[in-house]
Amino acid sequence: MRGDDPLKVMRRAGHSSFETTQKYIRTAEAIGGAIGEVFPTFAAPQSHGETHGKCLSVENEWRRRESTMKAHFEEASA
């Protein structure tokens, strides 16, 4: 998504086949900038209750992103 060299992406991801890397590249191109910030900054929690709420919120966001990526990957693989 950042435009990194595909061979560097392949090596860093540990793929033994460039075909595997290409699937991920196609998926990234298909969704464009739709996944948001990879590692967003989180505010420090004020209390245990607030911590729990933030954890649930973060977990829900990651599940949403995972679902979006799976859908796009399946679409690109079809």
Side-chain angles (χ1 to χ4, degrees):
M1 293 180 80
R2 294 185 312 217
D4 293 354
D5 175 51
L7 292 175
K8 287 182 181 177
V9 172
M10 178 186 156
R11 285 192 300 267
R12 290 179 184 158
H15 299 155
S16 58
S17 164
F18 187 67
E19 186 176 301
T20 302
T21 308
Q22 284 179 310
K23 290 178 184 178
Y24 286 97
I25 290 171
R26 279 190 230 111
T27 301
E29 289 172 346
I31 62 173
I35 63 166
E37 188 178 350
V38 179
F39 298 108
T41 304
F42 300 110
Q46 308 266 319
S47 67
H48 177 69
E50 185 178 333
T51 302
H52 183 68
K54 284 183 186 279
C55 288
L56 290 177
S57 176
V58 169
E59 183 177 337
N60 289 337
E61 176 64 15
W62 281 107
R63 286 185 183 183
R64 183 190 67 74
R65 291 179 185 190
E66 179 182 44
S67 176
T68 301
M69 287 295 291
K70 281 181 181 178
H72 286 294
F73 185 73
E74 289 168 1
E75 199 175 284
S77 296

